Amino acid sequence: LNEKLDYMENLGIVGFEPNGRNLAARVNELEQALRGRNIRVSAICAGFEGFILAEDPAVKAQFDSTMREIIAAAGAIGSPGVIMVPAFNGQKPCKPHTFETRQYLCEELFKLGEYAKECGTTVILEPLNRRECFYLRLVGDAAAICRDTNSEGVKCMGDFWHMQEETSDYAALLAAGPEYLQHVHMASRGKRRMPGEDGELDNYVEGFRALKQMGYDKYVSFECGCSGDPEILVPAAVELLRSQWELA
Ligand code: MG
């Protein structure tokens, strides 16, 4: 962990996004590792068991208890949020995609959001692409769920990889706006590797323009693999992010 943080610090990276699995037991370790550094926890990425739209009450209960434990730990280490997906396509049995389920989702998210607020953090809905999560694919839809949930503890995010679903990066991020947009993921837009590995496909300028216009002051986090030499590709990706941000 310390080597990783040293490497990040050398590149001028200021946010670190750990996975939520077993987070409660890692709070101390993470606090120690971040002490005296210019790096903060940018978000906690999932790590819970079960899922919020599970039909089986036991699976839903598993989600509630593990997610709440992660939320409490996230608040303790000062993370601005915990990322979650309502249901992956493979998670079954799942509540049907109906009006009633949407109502149910808002009610359940409200309880979770209020709990997150008490803990000093938020829950962040992440839309994915249709192959992974048919239920939630668009940033604007995630933002509308936040609005209808009406809890300050419920936010959403955009992931440039999944945003292949969107017709416009600019419109998608602006639709969420400063009120709901809490986090952003990026990856190369062909193979989900380091930004830059897919050449001209890796254009984030329109999305960044929306972020700049709304005064976005949160994190843009790399969530991707690397198919070549990381000593070359990782610094190049950080440079690409900075130059495209400048350009936007
Ligand atoms: Mg993501």
Side-chain angles (χ1 to χ4, degrees):
L1 176 62
N2 276 299
E3 270 177 47
K4 186 186 281 186
L5 292 169
D6 285 343
Y7 183 78
M8 289 164 67
E9 214 163 45
N10 284 333
L11 287 171
I13 291 171
V14 294
F16 173 52
E17 184 182 322
N19 186 272
R21 191 166 297 278
N22 208 20
L23 188 68
R26 295 191 66 204
V27 168
N28 225 338
E29 179 201 357
L30 288 167
E31 270 178 347
Q32 300 261 343
L34 292 171
R35 189 159 297 152
R37 292 184 187 271
N38 188 32
I39 300 177
R40 295 285 166 270
V41 175
S42 59
I44 302 298
C45 196
F48 48 83
E49 287 164 42
F51 60 112
I52 196 167
L53 294 181
E55 279 280 28
D56 182 344
V59 177
K60 169 64 165 51
Q62 204 179 22
F63 168 78
D64 282 329
S65 63
T66 56
M67 181 63 171
R68 279 167 183 257
E69 192 181 300
I70 295 169
I71 288 171
I77 53 169
S79 172
V82 180
I83 298 167
M84 64 171 280
V85 172
F88 284 91
N89 289 347
Q91 289 181 306
K92 289 182 179 142
C94 181
K95 290 191 178 291
H97 200 333
T98 59
F99 176 76
E100 288 75 17
T101 297
R102 212 256 193 195
Q103 294 276 83
Y104 170 83
L105 178 63
C106 289
E107 286 160 16
E108 291 301 306
L109 280 173
F110 180 82
K111 291 185 244 170
L112 212 54
E114 293 298 294
Y115 177 69
K117 209 170 93 179
E118 273 171 41
C119 296
T121 187
T122 64
V123 295
I124 306 171
L125 286 175
E126 180 171 13
L128 305 184
N129 63 72
R130 67 188 68 206
R131 283 183 297 278
E132 293 184 49
C133 169
F134 206 85
Y135 193 89
L136 186 60
R137 306 178 288 105
L138 300 171
V139 179
D141 194 22
I145 292 171
C146 296
R147 179 199 60 200
D148 296 342
T149 296
N150 198 23
S151 165
E152 277 172 39
V154 177
K155 303 287 182 186
C156 69
M157 61 172 289
D159 178 322
F160 279 105
W161 160 252
H162 297 293
M163 282 167 63
Q164 55 192 271
E165 292 285 326
E166 309 282 353
T167 52
S168 158
D169 293 340
Y170 176 83
L173 294 171
L174 216 59
E179 197 173 348
Y180 303 117
L181 194 73
Q182 176 61 52
H183 197 58
V184 173
H185 277 162
M186 73 188 294
S188 78
R189 308 191 86 172
K191 298 180 308 239
R192 204 179 193 181
R193 303 295 178 186
M194 291 311 293
E197 288 196 47
D198 287 317
E200 282 180 11
L201 277 180
D202 296 343
N203 189 324
Y204 311 88
V205 175
E206 287 304 309
F208 284 171
R209 184 165 296 144
L211 297 181
K212 279 174 117 170
Q213 275 183 18
M214 72 175 86
Y216 185 76
D217 59 357
K218 302 181 173 80
Y219 294 91
V220 175
S221 185
F222 292 100
E223 185 188 39
C224 49
C226 182
S227 32
D229 180 356
E231 290 296 341
I232 295 166
L233 295 172
V234 176
V238 174
E239 180 46 38
L240 179 146
L241 183 157
R242 291 201 176 110
S243 62
Q244 293 199 7
W245 182 266
E246 208 52 48
L247 204 67

